[in-house]
């Protein structure tokens, strides 16, 4: 990146951060990002803010426009190759993330755990909420942390999320605190987590921009990239009685499973779905254009699964059209 371009992006970031405000889950929608004072970094002083801005996508205003093909409550397309945001809609509105939460769960687990650890599932993994997605593990089952991560990210197992949280932090509240510390460290200040799976809680929220920050950070971990790019995974482990259990978990991202056609000229490399009645239908994906540029795109609160994939297809089409 040229010095001139870097300075321009840093300048744009500082002006945008300085002009910004935050909204509540049901508050006024704004396209302004957060103030610089509300961003906290690993060290004091403006140079760290410059470094933060220089390495991330910064909207310059040109990507926000009316588009009838993007009907979800919030959406955004981020170019990792040149740091631009070609399209965004309600990018800073606080919304429920549903199971996209699990991107942060996986990131914290990978950074603070050992993939080879043998984890004994506890009663905390018993999820009784109607419609909650599960990978069908049970108290007393013994799996590696790596296996649990596949159970978390592919079938979107809320039970796997609880098992991971208890193993890493000792309790779900303590793990949520670790998630919030990680969010704070990467500048995702419009985010607050109360659990590792994304089941609805009024104090559990994020924004499309913060989800980009979180997913972008997670993609720095090779294990995360491998997991979210895997269409299916065969797990073999033992239950409480010592009997062998086998399961095959399938990825929920229809672009990766082939249930939804990927736009021509773009390859989807990973992603995470999320659905609850409060959050609607949500999806974040990473993709790569045939020319080599990488992107992250987010759709939040679509009103149906077909609409979710229509929205994401229309968003990704902006890469090549």
């Amino acid at each position: 990146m040229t010095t001139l371009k870097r300075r321009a992006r840093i300048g744009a970031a500082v002006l945008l951060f300085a002009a910004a405000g935050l909204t509540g889950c049901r508050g006024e929608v704004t396209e302004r990002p957060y103030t610089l004072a509300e961003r906290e970094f690993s060290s004091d002083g403006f140079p760290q803010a410059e470094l933060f801005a220089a390495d991330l996508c910064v909207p310059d205003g040109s990507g926000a426009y009316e588009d009838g093909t993007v009907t979800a409550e919030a959406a955004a397309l981020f170019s990792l190759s040149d740091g631009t945001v070609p399209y965004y809609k309600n990018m800073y509105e606080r919304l429920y993330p549903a199971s996209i939460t699990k991107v942060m769960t996986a990131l914290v687990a990978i950074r603070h755990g050992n993939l080879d650890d043998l984890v004994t599932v506890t009663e905390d993994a018993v999820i009784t909420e109607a419609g909650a997605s599960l990978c069908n593990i049970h108290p007393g089952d013994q799996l590696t942390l790596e296996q649990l991560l596949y159970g978390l990210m592919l079938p979107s197992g809320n039970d796997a999320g609880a098992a991971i949280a208890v193993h890493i932090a000792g309790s779900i509240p303590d793990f949520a605190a670790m998630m919030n510390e990680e969010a704070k460290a990467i500048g995702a200040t419009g985010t607050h987590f109360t659990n590792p799976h994304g089941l609805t809680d009024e104090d559990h929220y994020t924004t499309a921009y913060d989800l980009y920050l979180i997913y972008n950070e997670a993609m720095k971990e090779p294990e995360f990239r491998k997991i979210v790019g895997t269409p299916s995974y065969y797990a073999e482990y033992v239950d409480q009685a010592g009997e062998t259990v086998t399961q095959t978990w399938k990825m929920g991202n229809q672009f990766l499973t082939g249930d939804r056609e990927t736009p021509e000229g773009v390859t989807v490399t990973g992603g995470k779905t999320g659905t609850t009645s409060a959050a609607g239908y949500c999806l974040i994906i990473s993709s790569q254009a045939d020319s080599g540029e990488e992107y992250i795109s987010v759709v939040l609160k679509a009103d149906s699964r077909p609409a979710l994939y229509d929205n994401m297809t229309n968003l990704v089409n902006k890469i090549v059209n």
Side-chain angles (χ1 to χ4, degrees), residues 71-88:
T71 59
E73 178 69 19
L77 173 66
F78 303 90
S79 171
L80 306 188
S81 299
D82 64 11
T84 61
V85 188
Y87 176 83
Y88 53 94

Side-chain angles (χ1 to χ4, degrees), residues 14-304:
V14 172
L15 288 173
L16 284 166
F17 291 162
L22 289 169
T23 65
C25 273
R26 287 171 292 278
E28 178 185 359
V29 177
T30 176
E31 289 295 357
R32 297 175 300 165
Y34 322 112
T35 65
L36 186 61
E38 288 168 326
R39 292 281 182 187
E40 296 190 27
F41 308 100
S42 58
S43 63
D44 294 330
F46 185 70
Q48 185 69 18
E50 288 187 340
L51 177 63
F52 178 84
D55 292 338
L56 293 173
C57 295
V58 176
D60 61 6
S62 63
Y65 55 90
E66 291 298 320
D67 184 344
T69 70
V70 179
T71 59
E73 178 69 19
L77 173 66
F78 303 90
S79 171
L80 306 188
S81 299
D82 64 11
T84 61
V85 188
Y87 176 83
Y88 53 94
K89 173 185 178 182
N90 298 336
M91 186 168 61
Y92 303 105
E93 182 181 2
R94 286 182 176 175
L95 296 167
Y96 299 119
S99 285
I100 298 181
T101 296
K102 291 164 183 162
V103 173
M104 179 60 90
T105 302
L107 175 60
V108 172
I110 289 168
R111 290 191 168 171
H112 294 273
N114 185 326
L115 296 175
D116 295 325
D117 279 355
L118 191 62
V119 180
T120 300
V121 179
T122 68
E123 293 289 339
D124 301 271
V126 177
I127 308 292
T128 58
E129 182 170 322
S133 57
L134 303 170
C135 67
N136 294 313
I137 57 174
H138 305 284
D141 289 349
Q142 292 189 319
L143 304 88
T144 65
L145 179 58
E146 183 175 35
Q147 288 175 318
L148 284 172
L149 285 168
Y150 279 98
L152 175 80
M153 299 302 288
L154 272 64
S156 199
N158 295 322
D159 43 0
I164 289 169
V166 172
H167 173 71
I168 296 293
S171 73
I172 287 174
D174 286 347
F175 187 81
M178 294 176 70
M179 297 169 72
N180 290 325
E181 282 300 312
E182 185 70 34
K184 180 180 177 181
I186 62 177
T189 56
T191 292
H192 185 264
F193 296 115
T194 62
N195 62 62
H197 37 61
L199 292 177
T200 303
D201 184 307
E202 64 180 7
D203 290 325
H204 187 102
Y205 51 80
T206 189
T207 70
Y209 187 77
D210 280 6
L211 286 176
Y212 146 70
L213 292 176
I214 294 165
Y215 194 93
N216 183 59
E217 189 71 16
M219 290 290 281
K220 296 176 183 178
E221 302 293 337
E223 183 71 15
F224 180 86
R225 281 184 174 260
K226 182 177 74 172
I227 291 170
V228 297
T230 301
S232 65
Y233 178 81
Y234 175 80
E236 182 175 305
Y237 55 94
V238 297
D239 64 14
Q240 187 173 31
E243 299 293 329
T244 298
V245 179
T246 62
Q247 291 198 68
T248 299
W249 293 318
K250 183 180 178 181
M251 168 65 75
N253 180 351
Q254 293 183 6
F255 289 120
L256 279 177
T257 60
D259 296 317
R260 184 76 180 212
E261 185 176 352
T262 301
E264 186 175 355
V266 179
T267 299
V268 174
T269 58
K272 184 71 193 75
T273 56
T275 308
T276 64
S277 57
Y281 293 82
C282 309
L283 177 63
I284 187 168
I285 64 170
S286 51
S287 58
Q288 186 173 43
D290 288 351
S291 53
E293 293 90 351
E294 290 189 299
Y295 296 83
I296 291 172
S297 45
V298 187
V299 173
L300 297 179
K301 205 170 185 180
D303 59 14
S304 68

